[in-house]
Amino acid sequence: MNNPQLSLSTVANQLVAPSKGILAADESTGTMTKRLDAIHVESTLENRNKWREIMMTSTGVESYISGVILYDETLRTPTLGGVKLQDLFQSKKIHIGIKVDGGTVKLPGLGEEVFIQGLDKLGKRLLEYKELGATFTKWRAVYSVGENMPSDAVITGNSIALAQYAALVQEAGLVPIVEPEILVLTGSHTIETSKEITKKVLTDVFRWLKEFKVDLKGMLLKPNMVLPGKEHLAMTSADDIAKFTVETLLATVPPEVPGMVFLSGGLNPDQSTEYLAKMNQLYAGKLPWQLSYSYGRALQQEGLQAWSGKQENVTTAQKVFLDRAKKVSQARSGKI
Ligand code: 13P
């Protein structure tokens, strides 16, 4: 839906409209190759776009999906399912999003921690993406948890980059999704540690968003849920995850932000659905923002498996994909 009349806050609110959320289908070529390798499908441009076409041409996808984040190669694809890409999205009233960060880079002296590149000439790229129909964007910063991690350098460096990105995106008339993804499932830390780190990172992110005069009403936050390291996950209740996550967000995210669109971050589809439902159940009517989704793996995993690269499986794959999308959509109103 590329309607130049829509304000940033209208688009942001449409993206988190009740019972809807975002499909993250912006895997870089390397990541998509891993996903296709797992189902023994060759990672050609044709196959990568075929899968994206299968999802986007599923009948009724627009009941659950308000926007799709694409990767550069998909946005440049002239047609999906024989229809002009922009027309397909327009006909379903689904917003087109685009990942604009340039991936990770290591810096000498900072061990395993990474920074994100991509601010160079971003303004020019944004105008091109807008021309191609995009109304929103995503920038993912990533933080490891461990001894002395995330470091202050990574926290501040990422906050400033996220804020500069968000300011440039709004200047171009697009809605920025700000994604500080803390890899909370990796490691052996407790949920308390995860909360402390998420709080520290989000506090710093909002400090810099304000410094760079980002309009909080015209952006969305894509946070991780507050989870313990993987080995403790089975012992942690959905209630606790919901409470730790929402308490952390209440302490850090200003009420002007229209919504949270969680990432699934390695949780399986059922866990991602259950935890989102639990948060919406426990806090119904009590929060200043919407609690929604921008899942990649949790929305795609089962459908991708059902497809397995075979034409005869397309109808089943679409059904499996839509079934999960429906469950996640219902999680918006607390149903599990
Ligand atoms: P996952 O839901 O697979 O974590 O992907 C979301 C995403 O877009 C991460 O940047």
Side-chain angles (χ1 to χ4, degrees), residues 24 26 138 140 179 181 222 263-266 294-298:
D26 59 326
K138 172 187 120 173
R140 172 180 180 256
E179 181 180 6
E181 176 175 5
K222 180 161 175 168
L263 54 96
S264 60
S294 172
Y295 291 161
R297 284 162 287 180

Side-chain angles (χ1 to χ4, degrees), residues 7-8 15 18 28 41 61 78 92 126 128-129 140 147 166 177 190 198 231 251 277 312 325 332:
S7 70
L8 295 183
L15 286 168
S28 64
V41 172
V61 61
K92 291 178 178 283
L126 291 171
E128 195 193 349
Y129 288 142
R140 172 180 180 256
E147 208 185 328
I177 293 186
T190 61
T198 306
E231 66 189 64
E312 64 266 30
R332 290 274 332 257

Side-chain angles (χ1 to χ4, degrees), residues 72 144 155 174 182 203 212 215 243 274:
D72 186 273
S144 297
I155 292 177
L174 300 162
I182 306 162
T203 302
F212 279 86
D215 175 8
K243 285 178 189 156
E274 183 189 1

Side-chain angles (χ1 to χ4, degrees), residues 2 207 220 296:
N2 191 2
R207 174 191 163 198
L220 296 171

Side-chain angles (χ1 to χ4, degrees), residues 22-27 31 35 69 99 101 138-141 179 181 183 222 261-267 272 294-301:
I22 295 170
L23 165 66
D26 59 326
E27 294 84 1
T31 303
R35 306 269 189 271
I69 315 175
K99 168 191 172 75
D101 65 75
K138 172 187 120 173
W139 179 288
R140 172 180 180 256
E179 181 180 6
E181 176 175 5
L183 301 172
K222 180 161 175 168
V261 287
F262 290 100
L263 54 96
S264 60
L267 291 172
S272 310
S294 172
Y295 291 161
R297 284 162 287 180
L299 277 169
Q300 296 186 47
Q301 203 167 299

Side-chain angles (χ1 to χ4, degrees), residues 15-288:
L15 286 168
V16 292
S19 80
K20 291 191 189 184
I22 295 170
L23 165 66
D26 59 326
E27 294 84 1
S28 64
T29 306
T31 303
M32 201 57 212
T33 299
K34 276 192 229 152
R35 306 269 189 271
L36 291 176
D37 281 352
I39 54 163
H40 312 294
V41 172
E42 194 189 344
S43 179
T44 57
L45 176 62
E46 196 187 345
N47 283 337
R48 292 193 295 274
N49 279 341
K50 179 70 191 169
W51 169 239
R52 288 155 178 168
E53 173 194 321
I54 289 172
M55 291 189 286
M56 287 318 301
T57 55
S58 302
T59 308
V61 61
E62 63 275 20
S63 305
Y64 317 120
I65 302 296
S66 54
V68 181
I69 315 175
L70 301 176
Y71 187 54
D72 186 273
E73 71 176 10
T74 316
L75 187 50
R76 292 182 195 283
T77 300
T79 58
L80 268 191
V83 182
K84 199 169 160 234
L85 183 134
Q86 287 79 2
D87 292 349
L88 176 67
F89 280 77
Q90 186 86 38
S91 69
K92 291 178 178 283
K93 295 196 166 38
I94 292 180
H95 283 284
I96 297 178
I98 177 80
K99 168 191 172 75
V100 300
D101 65 75
T104 57
V105 63
K106 279 192 181 168
L107 289 183
L110 281 172
E112 289 309 302
E113 294 193 292
V114 291
F115 283 87
I116 311 299
Q117 25 188 13
L119 284 170
D120 199 30
K121 301 197 177 69
L122 178 58
K124 195 160 159 264
R125 281 194 289 135
L126 291 171
L127 295 180
E128 195 193 349
Y129 288 142
K130 202 174 167 182
E131 200 62 32
L132 288 167
T135 55
F136 72 105
T137 65
K138 172 187 120 173
W139 179 288
R140 172 180 180 256
V142 58
Y143 312 73
S144 297
V145 180
E147 208 185 328
N148 302 321
M149 294 193 299
S151 64
D152 287 348
V154 160
I155 292 177
T156 311
N158 275 330
S159 293
I160 294 176
L162 282 165
Q164 289 180 332
Y165 142 80
L168 284 167
V169 168
Q170 289 188 335
E171 189 188 25
L174 300 162
V175 169
I177 293 186
V178 171
E179 181 180 6
E181 176 175 5
I182 306 162
L183 301 172
V184 282
L185 271 185
T186 310
S188 54
H189 48 270
T190 61
I191 194 167
E192 285 80 8
T193 301
S194 177
K195 180 177 177 180
E196 202 180 300
I197 292 173
T198 306
K199 209 165 166 177
K200 187 170 176 189
V201 167
L202 290 180
T203 302
D204 199 64
V205 166
F206 280 98
R207 174 191 163 198
W208 286 102
L209 287 171
K210 283 181 192 157
E211 294 279 356
F212 279 86
K213 313 284 183 246
V214 172
D215 175 8
L216 300 181
K217 295 193 199 76
M219 62 159 274
L220 296 171
L221 180 72
K222 180 161 175 168
N224 50 281
M225 293 179 194
V226 174
L227 308 167
K230 213 169 207 155
E231 66 189 64
H232 302 298
L233 189 64
M235 282 100 75
T236 312
S237 69
D239 268 53
D240 275 349
I241 289 168
K243 285 178 189 156
F244 272 80
T245 303
V246 175
E247 280 168 17
T248 306
L249 295 171
L250 281 171
T252 52
V253 184
E256 293 90 334
V257 178
M260 315 292 111
V261 287
F262 290 100
L263 54 96
S264 60
L267 291 172
N268 68 37
D270 282 339
Q271 292 166 327
S272 310
T273 310
E274 183 189 1
Y275 302 157
L276 180 63
K278 189 54 82 178
M279 285 187 259
N280 279 305
Q281 206 177 76
L282 293 179
Y283 293 90
K286 294 182 192 152
L287 299 173

